[in-house]
Amino acid sequence: MKKLVVGNWKLHGSRAFNAELIQGLLAADLAATAPRADVAVCPPFVYLGEVVSALSGSAIGVGSQDVSAQAQGAFTGEVAAPMVRELGARYAIVGHSERRSYHGETDQVVADKAKAALAAGLIPIVCVGETLAERESGSTEAVVGRQLKAVIDLLGAQLVDIVVAYEPVWAIGTGKTASPEQAQAVHAFLRAQLVSAQAAAAGVPLLYGGSVKPDNAAQLFAQADINGGLIGGAALKAADFVAIARAA
Ligand code: 13P
């Protein structure tokens, strides 16, 4: 399976910062130097159109960091999936742990967002992951299994069109990466759950996210069920993000 490396810029950027970062990414000619990876970046909503324009003609795709579960209506402050698609984005991250914890997004809301993204022609990148307390109490599989099940139950046959990202909350922005073996074990569990729901979901890319850096990316990406990465902090430095894409 071709690897997928996605940069989640989170709440970072400005026109000047984005221009410099994109210049660094374009200069790396990833289509030629990282031919085994599809690459995308997810800037804040307000920059989506500009970033799509700046990357047009390159091999780098664009995604949003979230999307509304609603297609339109009286939902002040929301951004709908058809709007994101219209601006030229290909992906939408849904259910990031920061959305789940700071914005109270439930498993059902996340599933609804994944469905809304698919309906608009976007590829949802559905994030799942356990907290440190959940891992230490031995409930990692129960937690990620429950998070994924909501999506499986709602999407039915469309399950084959999503991407899943395993992001252990304790590894995000902490510098603590899951070991390749820890990550692989959860990825294998997620793969089995997908396949038992839909045999064709064996082809769903499973990304790992959480303190992926140039020096640990290759080992993570070498695991059987790790098909790429969702990169936070290191996606804000062109040289680091390029190195990670090349590690794929
Ligand atoms: P870091 O790579 O900064 O740990 O962030 C991971 C993440 O949350 C990507 O969505």
Side-chain angles (χ1 to χ4, degrees):
M1 193 186 307
K2 197 168 182 190
K3 295 278 196 283
L4 174 61
V5 176
V6 179
N8 174 8
W9 294 1
K10 306 193 180 185
L11 188 52
H12 296 284
S14 65
R15 284 181 156 164
F17 178 90
N18 302 348
E20 194 177 328
L21 178 52
I22 288 168
Q23 198 177 32
L25 299 182
L26 291 176
D29 191 10
L30 290 172
T33 62
R36 287 192 299 272
D38 285 324
V39 177
V41 296
C42 299
F45 281 125
V46 290
Y47 298 123
L48 276 175
E50 286 176 6
V51 171
V52 167
S53 299
L55 290 171
S56 75
S58 81
I60 303 174
V62 177
S64 63
Q65 298 174 14
D66 181 30
V67 84
S68 179
Q70 315 293 334
Q72 61 174 340
F75 301 102
T76 302
E78 294 280 280
V79 178
M83 299 171 182
V84 171
R85 181 74 192 117
E86 187 181 28
L87 289 190
R90 192 181 306 163
Y91 302 95
I93 297 171
V94 298
H96 192 281
S97 61
E98 289 150 17
R99 301 292 317 172
R100 292 179 189 262
S101 67
Y102 304 145
H103 301 274
E105 293 190 7
T106 62
D107 297 337
Q108 188 58 48
V109 165
V110 173
D112 289 342
K113 289 184 170 197
K115 195 174 171 81
L118 284 165
L122 294 165
I123 299 169
I125 301 173
V126 179
C127 301
V128 300
E130 82 288 3
T131 63
L132 185 58
E134 288 164 342
R135 171 161 286 264
E136 287 178 343
S137 69
S139 45
T140 297
E141 290 190 356
V143 170
V144 299
R146 187 202 73 220
Q147 291 170 335
L148 186 59
K149 183 174 186 300
V151 175
I152 289 172
D153 288 350
L154 187 68
L155 296 190
Q158 282 187 298
L159 187 64
V160 299
D161 296 323
I162 73 170
V163 172
V164 174
Y166 168 56
E167 296 208 311
V169 177
W170 50 271
I172 296 176
T174 58
K176 274 194 217 166
T177 320
S179 69
E181 296 73 24
Q182 279 176 321
Q184 166 58 25
V186 177
H187 281 229
F189 171 79
L190 294 170
R191 178 88 67 208
Q193 190 178 359
L194 287 164
V195 170
S196 78
Q198 296 265 335
V204 167
L206 300 181
L207 313 185
Y208 168 78
S211 299
V212 178
K213 305 291 175 203
D215 63 0
N216 61 24
Q219 265 190 309
L220 286 160
F221 295 163
Q223 302 301 309
D225 291 296
I226 300 184
N227 310 118
L230 184 52
I231 320 301
L236 298 171
K237 292 184 199 128
D240 285 2
F241 190 62
V242 164
I244 291 167
R246 288 178 180 160

Coordinates of all heavy atoms in Angstrom, one line a residue, residues 144-214:
V144 N -10.1 2.5 21.7 CA -10.0 2.8 20.2 C -11.1 1.9 19.5 O -11.6 2.3 18.5 CB -8.6 2.6 19.7 CG1 -7.6 3.5 20.3 CG2 -8.2 1.1 19.8
G145 N -11.4 0.8 20.0 CA -12.4 -0.1 19.4 C -13.8 0.6 19.5 O -14.5 0.6 18.5
R146 N -14.1 1.2 20.6 CA -15.4 1.9 20.7 C -15.4 3.1 19.7 O -16.4 3.4 19.0 CB -15.5 2.4 22.1 CG -16.9 3.0 22.5 CD -16.7 3.9 23.7 NE -16.0 5.1 23.4 CZ -15.1 5.7 24.1 NH1 -14.8 5.2 25.3 NH2 -14.6 6.8 23.7
Q147 N -14.3 3.9 19.7 CA -14.2 5.0 18.8 C -14.4 4.6 17.3 O -15.1 5.3 16.6 CB -12.9 5.8 19.0 CG -12.8 6.4 20.4 CD -11.4 7.0 20.7 OE1 -10.4 6.5 20.1 NE2 -11.3 8.0 21.5
L148 N -13.8 3.5 16.9 CA -13.8 3.1 15.5 C -15.2 2.5 15.2 O -15.7 2.7 14.1 CB -12.7 2.1 15.2 CG -12.6 1.6 13.8 CD1 -12.4 2.8 12.8 CD2 -11.5 0.6 13.6
K149 N -15.8 1.8 16.2 CA -17.1 1.1 16.0 C -18.2 2.1 15.6 O -19.0 1.8 14.7 CB -17.5 0.4 17.2 CG -18.8 -0.4 17.0 CD -19.1 -1.3 18.2 CE -20.3 -2.2 17.9 NZ -21.6 -1.4 17.6
A150 N -18.2 3.3 16.2 CA -19.2 4.3 15.9 C -19.1 4.6 14.4 O -20.1 4.8 13.7 CB -19.0 5.6 16.7
V151 N -17.9 4.7 13.9 CA -17.7 5.0 12.4 C -18.1 3.9 11.6 O -18.8 4.0 10.5 CB -16.2 5.4 12.2 CG1 -15.9 5.7 10.7 CG2 -15.9 6.7 13.0
I152 N -17.7 2.7 12.0 CA -18.0 1.5 11.2 C -19.6 1.3 11.1 O -20.1 1.1 10.0 CB -17.4 0.2 11.9 CG1 -15.9 0.2 11.7 CG2 -18.1 -1.1 11.4 CD1 -15.2 -0.9 12.5
D153 N -20.2 1.5 12.2 CA -21.7 1.3 12.3 C -22.4 2.3 11.4 O -23.4 2.0 10.7 CB -22.2 1.4 13.7 CG -21.8 0.2 14.6 OD1 -21.3 -0.7 14.0 OD2 -22.0 0.3 15.8
L154 N -21.9 3.5 11.3 CA -22.6 4.6 10.5 C -22.3 4.5 9.1 O -23.1 4.7 8.2 CB -22.3 6.0 11.1 CG -23.1 7.1 10.4 CD1 -24.5 7.0 10.8 CD2 -22.5 8.5 10.8
L155 N -21.1 4.1 8.7 CA -20.6 4.3 7.3 C -21.0 3.1 6.4 O -21.1 3.3 5.2 CB -19.1 4.5 7.2 CG -18.6 5.8 7.8 CD1 -17.2 6.0 7.4 CD2 -19.5 7.0 7.4
G156 N -21.2 1.9 7.0 CA -21.5 0.8 6.1 C -20.4 0.6 5.1 O -19.2 0.6 5.3
A157 N -20.9 0.4 3.8 CA -20.0 0.1 2.7 C -19.0 1.2 2.4 O -17.9 1.0 1.8 CB -20.8 -0.2 1.4
Q158 N -19.3 2.5 2.9 CA -18.4 3.6 2.6 C -17.1 3.5 3.5 O -16.2 4.3 3.3 CB -19.1 4.9 2.9 CG -20.0 5.4 1.8 CD -20.5 6.7 2.2 OE1 -21.2 7.0 3.2 NE2 -20.2 7.7 1.3
L159 N -17.1 2.5 4.4 CA -15.9 2.4 5.3 C -14.6 2.3 4.5 O -13.6 2.7 4.9 CB -16.1 1.1 6.1 CG -15.1 0.8 7.2 CD1 -15.2 1.9 8.3 CD2 -15.4 -0.5 7.9
V160 N -14.7 1.7 3.3 CA -13.5 1.5 2.5 C -12.9 2.8 2.0 O -11.7 2.8 1.6 CB -13.8 0.6 1.3 CG1 -14.3 -0.8 1.7 CG2 -14.8 1.2 0.3
D161 N -13.6 3.9 2.1 CA -13.1 5.1 1.5 C -12.5 6.1 2.6 O -12.3 7.2 2.3 CB -14.3 5.9 0.8 CG -14.8 5.1 -0.4 OD1 -13.9 4.5 -1.1 OD2 -16.0 5.1 -0.6
I162 N -12.3 5.6 3.8 CA -11.7 6.5 4.8 C -10.2 6.1 5.1 O -9.7 5.2 4.6 CB -12.5 6.3 6.2 CG1 -12.2 5.0 6.9 CG2 -14.0 6.5 5.9 CD1 -12.8 5.0 8.3
V163 N -9.6 7.0 5.9 CA -8.3 6.8 6.4 C -8.5 6.8 7.9 O -9.3 7.6 8.4 CB -7.3 7.9 6.0 CG1 -6.0 7.8 6.7 CG2 -7.1 7.9 4.5
V164 N -7.8 6.0 8.7 CA -7.8 6.0 10.1 C -6.5 6.4 10.6 O -5.4 6.0 10.1 CB -8.2 4.6 10.7 CG1 -8.1 4.6 12.2 CG2 -9.7 4.3 10.2
A165 N -6.5 7.3 11.6 CA -5.2 7.7 12.3 C -5.2 7.3 13.7 O -6.2 7.7 14.5 CB -5.0 9.2 12.1
Y166 N -4.3 6.5 14.2 CA -4.1 6.1 15.6 C -3.2 7.1 16.2 O -2.0 7.2 15.9 CB -3.6 4.7 15.8 CG -3.2 4.4 17.2 CD1 -4.1 4.6 18.2 CD2 -1.9 4.0 17.5 CE1 -3.7 4.4 19.5 CE2 -1.5 3.8 18.8 CZ -2.4 3.9 19.8 OH -2.0 3.7 21.1
E167 N -3.7 7.9 17.1 CA -2.9 8.9 17.8 C -3.1 8.8 19.3 O -4.1 9.3 19.9 CB -3.4 10.4 17.4 CG -3.2 10.7 15.9 CD -3.0 12.1 15.7 OE1 -3.7 13.0 16.2 OE2 -2.0 12.5 15.0
P168 N -2.2 8.1 20.0 CA -2.3 8.0 21.4 C -2.2 9.3 22.0 O -1.2 10.1 21.7 CB -1.1 7.0 21.8 CG -0.2 7.0 20.6 CD -1.0 7.4 19.4
V169 N -3.1 9.7 22.8 CA -3.2 11.1 23.4 C -1.9 11.4 24.1 O -1.4 12.5 24.0 CB -4.4 11.3 24.2 CG1 -4.4 12.7 24.8 CG2 -5.7 11.1 23.4
W170 N -1.3 10.4 24.8 CA -0.1 10.6 25.6 C 1.1 10.9 24.8 O 2.2 11.2 25.3 CB 0.1 9.4 26.6 CG 0.0 8.1 25.9 CD1 -1.2 7.4 25.7 CD2 1.0 7.4 25.3 NE1 -0.9 6.2 25.0 CE2 0.5 6.2 24.8 CE3 2.4 7.6 25.2 CZ2 1.2 5.2 24.1 CZ3 3.2 6.6 24.5 CH2 2.6 5.4 24.0
A171 N 1.0 10.6 23.5 CA 2.2 10.8 22.6 C 2.1 12.1 21.8 O 3.0 12.4 21.1 CB 2.3 9.6 21.7
I172 N 1.0 12.8 21.9 CA 0.8 14.0 21.1 C 1.5 15.2 21.7 O 1.1 15.6 22.8 CB -0.7 14.3 20.8 CG1 -1.3 13.1 20.0 CG2 -0.9 15.6 20.1 CD1 -2.8 13.3 19.8
G173 N 2.5 15.7 21.0 CA 3.1 17.0 21.4 C 4.0 16.8 22.7 O 4.4 17.8 23.3
T174 N 4.2 15.6 23.1 CA 4.9 15.3 24.4 C 6.3 14.9 24.1 O 7.1 14.8 25.1 CB 4.2 14.2 25.1 OG1 4.2 13.0 24.3 CG2 2.8 14.5 25.5
G175 N 6.6 14.6 22.9 CA 8.0 14.0 22.6 C 8.0 12.5 22.9 O 9.1 11.9 22.7
K176 N 7.0 12.0 23.5 CA 6.9 10.5 23.8 C 6.2 9.8 22.7 O 5.0 10.0 22.5 CB 6.0 10.3 25.1 CG 6.7 10.4 26.4 CD 5.7 9.8 27.4 CE 5.8 10.6 28.7 NZ 4.7 10.3 29.6
T177 N 7.0 9.1 21.9 CA 6.4 8.4 20.8 C 6.0 7.0 21.3 O 6.7 6.4 22.1 CB 7.4 8.2 19.6 OG1 8.2 9.4 19.5 CG2 6.7 7.9 18.3
A178 N 4.9 6.4 20.8 CA 4.7 5.0 21.0 C 5.8 4.3 20.3 O 6.3 4.7 19.2 CB 3.3 4.6 20.3
S179 N 6.3 3.2 20.9 CA 7.3 2.4 20.2 C 6.7 1.8 19.0 O 5.5 1.7 18.9 CB 7.8 1.3 21.1 OG 6.8 0.3 21.3
P180 N 7.5 1.5 18.0 CA 7.0 0.9 16.8 C 6.1 -0.4 17.1 O 5.1 -0.6 16.5 CB 8.2 0.5 16.0 CG 9.3 1.5 16.4 CD 9.0 1.7 17.9
E181 N 6.5 -1.1 18.1 CA 5.8 -2.3 18.5 C 4.5 -2.0 19.2 O 3.4 -2.6 18.9 CB 6.6 -3.2 19.5 CG 7.9 -3.8 18.9 CD 9.0 -2.7 18.7 OE1 9.0 -1.7 19.4 OE2 9.9 -2.9 17.8
Q182 N 4.5 -1.0 20.0 CA 3.2 -0.5 20.6 C 2.2 0.0 19.6 O 1.0 -0.4 19.6 CB 3.5 0.6 21.6 CG 4.0 0.2 23.0 CD 4.3 1.5 23.8 OE1 4.8 2.5 23.3 NE2 4.0 1.4 25.1
A183 N 2.7 0.8 18.7 CA 1.9 1.3 17.6 C 1.4 0.2 16.7 O 0.2 0.1 16.4 CB 2.6 2.4 16.8
Q184 N 2.3 -0.7 16.3 CA 1.9 -1.8 15.4 C 0.8 -2.7 16.1 O -0.2 -3.1 15.4 CB 3.1 -2.7 15.1 CG 2.8 -4.0 14.5 CD 2.0 -4.0 13.2 OE1 2.0 -3.0 12.5 NE2 1.2 -5.0 12.9
A185 N 0.9 -2.9 17.4 CA -0.1 -3.7 18.1 C -1.5 -3.1 18.0 O -2.5 -3.8 17.7 CB 0.3 -3.9 19.5
V186 N -1.6 -1.8 18.1 CA -2.9 -1.2 18.1 C -3.4 -1.1 16.6 O -4.5 -1.3 16.3 CB -2.9 0.3 18.7 CG1 -4.2 0.9 18.5 CG2 -2.4 0.2 20.1
H187 N -2.4 -0.9 15.7 CA -2.8 -0.9 14.3 C -3.4 -2.2 13.8 O -4.3 -2.3 13.1 CB -1.6 -0.4 13.4 CG -1.4 1.0 13.4 ND1 -1.2 1.8 12.2 CD2 -1.3 1.9 14.4 CE1 -1.0 3.1 12.6 NE2 -1.1 3.2 13.9
A188 N -2.7 -3.3 14.3 CA -3.2 -4.6 13.9 C -4.6 -4.8 14.5 O -5.5 -5.4 13.8 CB -2.2 -5.7 14.5
F189 N -4.8 -4.4 15.7 CA -6.2 -4.5 16.3 C -7.2 -3.7 15.4 O -8.3 -4.2 15.1 CB -6.1 -4.0 17.7 CG -7.5 -3.8 18.4 CD1 -8.1 -4.9 18.9 CD2 -8.1 -2.6 18.4 CE1 -9.4 -4.8 19.4 CE2 -9.3 -2.4 19.0 CZ -10.0 -3.6 19.5
L190 N -6.8 -2.5 15.0 CA -7.8 -1.7 14.2 C -8.0 -2.3 12.9 O -9.1 -2.3 12.4 CB -7.2 -0.2 14.1 CG -7.1 0.6 15.3 CD1 -6.3 1.9 15.0 CD2 -8.5 1.0 15.9
R191 N -7.0 -2.8 12.3 CA -7.1 -3.5 11.0 C -8.1 -4.7 11.1 O -9.0 -4.8 10.2 CB -5.7 -4.0 10.5 CG -5.8 -4.7 9.2 CD -5.6 -3.8 8.0 NE -4.3 -3.3 7.9 CZ -4.0 -2.1 7.4 NH1 -5.0 -1.3 6.8 NH2 -2.8 -1.6 7.4
A192 N -7.9 -5.5 12.1 CA -8.8 -6.6 12.3 C -10.2 -6.2 12.5 O -11.2 -6.8 11.9 CB -8.3 -7.4 13.5
Q193 N -10.4 -5.1 13.2 CA -11.8 -4.6 13.4 C -12.4 -4.1 12.1 O -13.6 -4.4 11.8 CB -11.8 -3.5 14.5 CG -13.2 -3.1 14.9 CD -13.1 -2.0 16.0 OE1 -12.1 -1.6 16.4 NE2 -14.3 -1.6 16.4
L194 N -11.6 -3.4 11.3 CA -12.1 -2.9 10.0 C -12.4 -4.1 9.1 O -13.5 -4.1 8.5 CB -11.0 -2.1 9.3 CG -10.8 -0.7 9.9 CD1 -9.5 -0.1 9.4 CD2 -11.9 0.2 9.6
V195 N -11.6 -5.1 9.0 CA -11.8 -6.2 8.1 C -12.9 -7.1 8.6 O -13.7 -7.6 7.7 CB -10.5 -7.1 8.0 CG1 -10.7 -8.4 7.3 CG2 -9.4 -6.3 7.3
S196 N -13.2 -7.2 9.9 CA -14.3 -8.0 10.3 C -15.6 -7.3 9.9 O -16.6 -7.9 9.8 CB -14.2 -8.4 11.7 OG -14.6 -7.4 12.6
A197 N -15.6 -6.0 9.8 CA -16.8 -5.2 9.4 C -17.0 -5.3 7.9 O -18.1 -5.4 7.4 CB -16.7 -3.8 9.8
Q198 N -15.9 -5.2 7.1 CA -15.9 -5.2 5.7 C -14.6 -5.7 5.2 O -13.6 -5.1 5.4 CB -15.9 -3.7 5.2 CG -17.1 -2.9 5.5 CD -18.2 -2.9 4.4 OE1 -17.8 -3.1 3.3 NE2 -19.4 -2.7 4.8
A199 N -14.7 -6.8 4.5 CA -13.4 -7.4 4.0 C -12.6 -6.4 3.2 O -11.3 -6.4 3.3 CB -13.7 -8.7 3.2
A200 N -13.2 -5.6 2.4 CA -12.5 -4.7 1.5 C -11.8 -3.6 2.3 O -11.0 -2.8 1.8 CB -13.5 -4.1 0.5
A201 N -12.2 -3.4 3.6 CA -11.5 -2.4 4.4 C -10.1 -2.8 4.8 O -9.4 -2.0 5.5 CB -12.4 -2.1 5.6
A202 N -9.6 -3.9 4.3 CA -8.2 -4.3 4.5 C -7.3 -3.2 3.9 O -6.2 -3.0 4.3 CB -7.9 -5.6 3.9
G203 N -7.9 -2.5 2.9 CA -7.1 -1.5 2.2 C -7.2 -0.1 2.8 O -6.6 0.9 2.2
V204 N -7.8 0.1 3.9 CA -7.9 1.4 4.6 C -6.5 1.8 5.1 O -6.0 1.0 5.9 CB -9.0 1.4 5.7 CG1 -8.9 2.6 6.6 CG2 -10.4 1.3 5.1
P205 N -6.0 2.9 4.7 CA -4.7 3.3 5.3 C -4.8 3.6 6.8 O -5.7 4.3 7.2 CB -4.3 4.6 4.5 CG -5.2 4.6 3.3 CD -6.5 3.9 3.7
L206 N -3.8 3.1 7.5 CA -3.8 3.3 9.0 C -2.5 4.2 9.3 O -1.4 3.7 9.1 CB -3.7 2.0 9.7 CG -4.9 1.0 9.6 CD1 -4.6 -0.2 10.5 CD2 -6.2 1.7 9.9
L207 N -2.8 5.4 9.7 CA -1.7 6.3 10.0 C -1.4 6.3 11.5 O -2.3 6.2 12.3 CB -2.0 7.8 9.6 CG -2.6 8.0 8.2 CD1 -2.8 9.5 7.9 CD2 -1.8 7.3 7.1
Y208 N -0.1 6.5 11.8 CA 0.3 6.7 13.2 C 0.6 8.2 13.4 O 1.2 8.8 12.6 CB 1.5 5.9 13.6 CG 2.0 6.3 15.0 CD1 1.3 5.9 16.1 CD2 3.0 7.2 15.1 CE1 1.7 6.4 17.4 CE2 3.4 7.7 16.3 CZ 2.8 7.3 17.5 OH 3.1 7.8 18.7
G209 N 0.1 8.7 14.6 CA 0.4 10.1 14.9 C 0.8 10.2 16.4 O 0.2 9.6 17.2
G210 N 1.7 11.1 16.7 CA 2.1 11.3 18.0 C 3.7 11.4 18.1 O 4.3 10.3 18.1
S211 N 4.2 12.6 18.1 CA 5.6 12.8 18.1 C 6.4 12.1 17.1 O 7.5 11.6 17.4 CB 6.1 12.5 19.6 OG 5.5 13.4 20.5
V212 N 5.9 12.0 15.9 CA 6.7 11.5 14.7 C 7.7 12.5 14.3 O 7.3 13.7 14.2 CB 5.8 11.1 13.5 CG1 6.6 10.6 12.4 CG2 4.7 10.1 13.9
K213 N 8.9 12.1 14.3 CA 10.0 13.0 13.9 C 10.9 12.3 12.9 O 10.8 11.1 12.6 CB 10.9 13.2 15.2 CG 10.2 13.7 16.4 CD 9.7 15.2 16.2 CE 8.8 15.6 17.5 NZ 7.9 16.7 17.2
P214 N 11.8 13.1 12.2 CA 12.7 12.5 11.2 C 13.4 11.2 11.7 O 13.7 10.3 11.0 CB 13.6 13.6 10.8 CG 12.9 14.8 11.1 CD 12.0 14.6 12.3

